[in-house]
Amino acid sequence: MGSEGLSMIPSPKQYGVTRPISTAGPVDVDLQRTVELEKFLVDAGLYESEEEAAKREEVLGRIKEIVKDWVKQLTRLRGYTDQMVEDANAVIFTFGSYRLGVHGPGADIDTLCVGPSYVNREEDFFFILHGILAEIEEVTELQPVPDAHVPVMKLKFDGVSIDLLYASVSLLVVPEPTVRSLNGCRVADQILKLVPNVEHFRTTLRCLKLWAKRRGVYSNVTGFLGGVNWALLVARVCQLYPNAVPSMLVSRFFRVYTQWRWPNPVMLCATEKDKLGFSVWDPRKNPRDRTHHMPIITPAYPCMNSSYNVSESTLRVMMEQFQFGNKICEEIELHRGRWSALFEPYLFFESYKNYLQVDVVAADPDDLRAWKGWVESRLRQLTLMIERDTCGKLQCHPHPHEYVDTSKQCAHCAFFMGLQRKQGEVVQEGQQFDIRGTVDEFRHSVNMYMFWKPGMEIYVCHIRRRQIPSYVLPDGYKRTRPPRLISEQHTEKSSPENGEVCRSGSGERCLKRKKDGLQAKGESPEKRQLISPDRQDSVSPEIVSHSFALGYVGTKASSDNGERQVGMAEMDVVSFINSKNVETGGSTRRARQQVEGGEEAGTDLVKSDEERSSAGNTSVVTSLGSEIGSYDDVGLESVAGSRDGSPRSVAGSNNQGSSQVDSCDGDLENGRDNGCGIIQDRLLDELEPSLALGE
């Protein structure tokens, strides 16, 4: 065929801002894996029944009637004519997982109410409509959140969870909250238009959402990714592999994002120019956009970064989990693994040596629902504060789940954060992190809650892994730690201090742990109980701590045989736990915490108040002292620098992944045209050689 004939062949349609990585379709084994994957999703209960679907439709119909009557009532109160009252209306739109068609049993319905311009959000929606809903018998767990980034009213209607937003139209100037409220519906529609195959997209997204929840990285509020973020990531992979089936797309998802050079943005289409005066994501013009760690850009104008909540610490955790998923998918493609291995729950409470426990207490369940929602929304700030005050050397892993201690008589729940030293940092002997001031600042910001009521309290304390409360564990007790794989076991190590042998491959504790136990026994009650006298009956004795140490794994190549040696330096993170009532503006509020009791050990660990005040805002304290601990105490951290927390995962499990994020400021400044097409072309050129494997 001549060149003229070739030129007449239509080129395949391009989805997204770059050419696809591969247009290859599935082979028989890919189709078989897809059948197995879909069967797994069905068995996992990800699809709702016809009865549940019908109930959702019925609830949406009731909501539409309620908001329509509400608008007519307001129209009459505003003095409009009878004809205008009859014509007044409000419309309900859905968005999120329900609109995308990937919702499962028990999932909430994201809804947007659009009303006339004379019905406002601040008073009419959050007060008048709130009062109407509160009087309806089927409505429970009604919770307004007017100060959220996207103001929302949460409720359950006849057992169906509803997130209700409001936007008014026919305005000369549309406010930013209204734009953000409207964007949800438009983004969902755009996603479905921009993917090559909607059904393949939906199956892949269901799979990845289940995976993210099992691995503890599904939560926008705590700094991970929410539903729209995962939808955008999956949609981009669908664009890069337009003819792939779900089993291929899941594998390619992990392959792409383990190699993605953040903060290069993920975009489904070119960004539109700033034509209506709204701020559009553009790091060339907006300095704040340059600080985003994992930009995932929405496809509808005005284009925004949907993942602005991601921090360095949460990006590190997600990259670790992407590495885990990639390893499992590689094993599945080699016929050495099964889909069930991909969805093994992340063993958060076996993955770190030290944790922060945040206890939230209120007078009754209704107060707790509002109070814990506020506290959870601020946990991301605690992560950012710790990163800031320790110059990123102390990393946090917020766990996106809440736990309830049923033994407490008061309304209670708890959140947990894993703590570890940043991998690859040079260890300074005896280095400590004093984050008491950081936690004080966090508590102060939380206590500024607009709807605070007496009885709403928050307590923050440090716990070691062995002190994890039993109510957070699946069976109420700690699991016996399984033996290490042979490849992970190490030779016996003798402590230079006592000559006793500690086997890192066993579940036994070495002498350092025994010493910790002896020290704990020798401490006075005053040192162990850091609770102010007027609060002693409102917090359990286990919410106490004085100081703790974080294990650090360093690797060093042996010059003789290339073997790696593991060392651990202890660093004390000074305790900061206590609370005190102070009078502020006539109301009782919680503010700074005091450490009560004996402080004889603290003089060697903590700077004096004068020293700290002269040192400015820094919370990093250094002092001498280190000791060698067992590899087992580190918390499932691998010599090779990888960890996933699951002893059953592939290749020795423990996928740490890469925590390095390459800077692309130069690319952002010089390489992006309109929709960052140049950047993504350059990135895909680097990805393509390895990504094209296994087409």
Side-chain angles (χ1 to χ4, degrees):
M1 183 182 293
S3 59
E4 293 183 359
L6 288 173
S7 63
M8 296 179 62
I9 299 176
S11 58
K13 180 179 179 181
Q14 175 177 309
Y15 293 89
V17 295
T18 63
R19 67 190 186 281
I21 292 177
S22 172
T23 58
V27 296
D28 290 342
V29 68
D30 296 315
L31 297 175
Q32 178 60 34
R33 291 195 192 106
T34 297
V35 171
E36 294 172 357
L37 176 61
E38 291 175 341
K39 181 179 183 303
F40 180 89
L41 298 181
V42 171
D43 293 343
L46 295 191
Y47 296 87
E48 67 178 2
S49 64
E50 294 182 0
E51 293 78 9
E52 291 172 313
K55 184 176 182 180
R56 287 177 181 272
E57 292 294 333
E58 180 183 348
V59 167
L60 284 174
R62 290 289 310 279
I63 295 290
K64 291 177 182 178
E65 294 176 2
I66 291 170
V67 298
K68 186 174 181 179
D69 292 342
W70 162 64
V71 168
K72 290 183 179 295
Q73 174 185 335
L74 290 174
T75 305
R76 186 177 293 106
L77 290 175
R78 300 288 194 270
Y80 290 98
T81 65
D82 292 342
Q83 183 62 43
M84 294 186 69
V85 171
E86 183 179 348
D87 295 339
N89 194 16
V91 183
I92 291 290
F93 297 98
T94 61
F95 62 99
S97 62
Y98 188 80
R99 193 178 188 93
L100 289 173
V102 295
H103 62 284
D108 58 1
I109 305 178
D110 296 310
T111 57
L112 169 67
C113 174
V114 179
S117 59
Y118 53 85
V119 177
N120 63 66
R121 179 188 297 105
E122 291 73 17
E123 180 180 350
D124 298 331
F125 180 73
F126 279 114
F127 287 93
I128 297 179
L129 180 58
H130 177 273
I132 293 173
L133 292 171
E135 296 297 323
I136 299 176
E137 183 178 357
E138 295 94 337
V139 174
T140 58
E141 300 184 14
L142 183 61
Q143 178 187 353
V145 191
D147 51 353
H149 184 67
V150 181
V152 60
M153 188 140 56
K154 297 176 177 288
L155 66 139
K156 280 190 175 182
F157 196 104
D158 198 15
V160 178
S161 296
I162 303 287
D163 283 356
L164 183 60
L165 283 60
Y166 179 76
S168 57
V169 293
S170 300
L171 298 174
L172 294 177
V173 179
V174 182
E176 287 286 344
T178 299
V179 173
R180 289 194 290 267
S181 298
L182 290 168
N183 241 12
C185 303
R186 299 169 59 239
V187 166
D189 289 342
Q190 281 292 99
I191 290 175
L192 295 177
K193 291 178 182 178
L194 292 170
V195 295
N197 187 305
V198 172
E199 288 307 315
H200 290 172
F201 163 75
R202 285 172 171 162
T203 301
T204 307
L205 181 54
R206 284 183 186 273
C207 174
L208 268 300
K209 288 179 65 174
L210 175 63
W211 174 85
K213 292 175 182 178
R214 294 278 180 92
R215 303 303 296 175
V217 290
Y218 189 94
S219 173
N220 181 66
V221 69
T222 54
F224 294 107
L225 302 181
V228 67
N229 310 126
W230 291 106
L232 291 169
L233 290 182
V234 171
R236 185 67 184 119
V237 173
C238 291
Q239 292 180 339
L240 294 174
Y241 298 91
N243 299 320
V245 293
S247 64
M248 299 169 64
L249 291 171
V250 171
S251 174
R252 302 311 187 268
F253 177 93
F254 293 115
R255 190 180 300 177
V256 168
Y257 292 118
T258 53
Q259 300 180 66
W260 196 271
R261 293 178 58 235
W262 304 106
N264 277 319
V266 171
M267 310 178 73
L268 300 186
C269 59
T271 57
E272 297 184 39
K273 296 291 185 180
D274 187 6
K275 56 185 180 181
L276 295 179
F278 295 110
S279 177
V280 177
W281 186 86
D282 189 346
R284 295 171 300 182
K285 297 180 180 180
N286 307 320
R288 186 175 182 181
D289 293 342
R290 300 172 194 165
T291 66
H292 295 167
H293 299 286
M294 193 181 188
I296 303 172
I297 311 305
T298 57
Y301 177 84
C303 298
M304 306 175 184
N305 177 22
S306 63
S307 54
Y308 59 88
N309 277 352
V310 174
S311 67
E312 288 186 15
S313 289
T314 52
L315 176 59
R316 169 189 63 85
V317 173
M318 285 187 283
M319 290 302 294
E320 291 175 3
Q321 296 306 320
F322 289 159
Q323 292 281 1
F324 166 81
N326 191 46
K327 289 285 186 183
I328 298 293
C329 288
E330 287 177 354
E331 294 294 316
I332 292 174
E333 291 181 342
L334 294 173
H335 306 285
R336 297 177 182 172
R338 304 177 65 86
W339 287 115
S340 57
L342 182 65
F343 301 95
E344 285 290 334
Y346 178 64
L347 302 179
F348 176 76
F349 291 107
E350 295 184 18
S351 299
Y352 293 93
K353 182 180 177 183
N354 293 277
Y355 298 84
L356 285 185
Q357 178 176 340
V358 181
D359 286 86
V360 183
V361 179
D364 56 60
D366 290 334
D367 286 352
L368 179 65
R369 186 178 305 110
W371 179 230
K372 76 177 180 184
W374 168 253
V375 173
E376 185 179 18
S377 71
R378 307 304 296 175
L379 287 178
R380 184 178 70 91
Q381 297 300 321
L382 178 57
T383 300
L384 296 175
M385 291 174 184
I386 293 176
E387 288 179 354
R388 177 200 66 195
D389 292 346
T390 63
C391 300
K393 295 182 179 180
L394 183 61
Q395 295 177 328
C396 305
H397 179 174
H399 195 42
H401 297 285
E402 63 181 72
Y403 296 89
V404 178
D405 185 359
T406 55
S407 66
K408 294 184 181 294
Q409 295 183 353
C410 58
H412 161 270
C413 73
F415 299 96
F416 294 84
M417 298 174 64
L419 297 175
Q420 75 172 14
R421 189 172 195 144
K422 184 177 181 179
Q423 301 297 309
E425 285 292 322
V426 178
V427 181
Q428 297 181 4
E429 188 177 11
Q431 182 174 357
Q432 304 165 355
F433 293 110
D434 179 0
I435 57 175
R436 291 178 298 178
T438 307
V439 173
D440 282 345
E441 181 183 352
F442 166 71
R443 287 168 49 83
H444 179 73
S445 68
V446 168
N447 289 330
M448 293 298 103
Y449 182 46
M450 183 186 305
F451 303 101
W452 183 88
K453 296 180 181 179
M456 293 181 175
E457 307 290 351
I458 177 175
Y459 303 94
V460 182
C461 72
H462 157 260
I463 58 173
R464 290 182 181 272
R465 185 168 57 212
R466 65 174 180 268
Q467 297 170 321
I468 292 172
S470 59
Y471 63 82
V472 310
L473 303 172
D475 301 315
Y477 60 87
K478 296 180 177 60
R479 298 190 326 135
T480 302
R481 300 185 66 184
R484 298 278 182 176
L485 297 177
I486 296 176
S487 61
E488 291 182 310
Q489 292 180 354
H490 299 271
T491 56
E492 297 178 353
K493 294 185 293 184
S494 298
S495 170
E497 300 175 0
N498 50 56
E500 291 193 22
V501 173
C502 173
R503 296 179 181 269
S504 61
S506 69
E508 299 175 358
R509 304 292 186 184
C510 61
L511 186 61
K512 182 180 70 63
R513 284 296 193 193
K514 297 178 182 178
K515 287 185 177 181
D516 288 342
L518 293 174
Q519 291 173 358
K521 293 178 181 179
E523 288 178 353
S524 64
E526 290 79 14
K527 287 188 65 178
R528 297 294 295 171
Q529 183 109 1
L530 305 176
I531 308 169
S532 55
D534 53 351
R535 294 283 176 86
Q536 295 209 9
D537 57 350
S538 65
V539 63
S540 67
E542 56 198 86
I543 309 177
V544 295
S545 178
H546 193 64
S547 65
F548 59 91
L550 285 180
Y552 171 77
V553 175
T555 61
K556 181 176 63 176
S558 171
S559 59
D560 296 330
N561 53 18
E563 293 180 354
R564 293 185 178 271
Q565 298 176 348
V566 179
M568 177 165 61
E570 289 287 334
M571 59 182 182
D572 291 328
V573 185
V574 183
S575 68
F576 37 73
I577 314 307
N578 204 4
S579 56
K580 177 181 179 181
N581 285 334
V582 293
E583 292 293 331
T584 304
S587 64
T588 302
R589 309 289 287 176
R590 282 83 50 231
R592 293 285 178 179
Q593 303 176 354
Q594 292 181 330
V595 178
E596 301 180 359
E599 291 286 350
E600 63 277 4
T603 57
D604 294 331
L605 299 176
V606 193
K607 289 183 178 179
S608 64
D609 292 338
E610 293 80 0
E611 289 175 311
R612 285 206 288 162
S613 61
S614 64
N617 293 329
T618 181
S619 296
V620 180
V621 184
T622 60
S623 72
L624 300 178
S626 65
E627 61 178 321
I628 302 300
S630 74
Y631 167 82
D632 189 48
D633 278 336
V634 175
L636 302 181
E637 295 179 350
S638 164
V639 180
S642 62
R643 170 183 43 75
D644 74 6
S646 172
R648 288 175 286 180
S649 50
V650 175
S653 90
N654 304 336
N655 294 328
Q656 167 95 11
S658 171
S659 62
Q660 298 177 349
V661 180
D662 295 330
S663 172
C664 69
D665 289 343
D667 290 337
L668 292 175
E669 289 294 332
N670 305 317
R672 185 175 64 255
D673 177 34
N674 263 0
C676 294
I678 295 177
I679 287 180
Q680 294 212 18
D681 268 326
R682 186 181 309 159
L683 174 62
L684 294 177
D685 285 338
E686 299 174 5
L687 290 174
E688 189 167 1
S690 57
L691 290 174
L693 296 177
E695 292 179 358

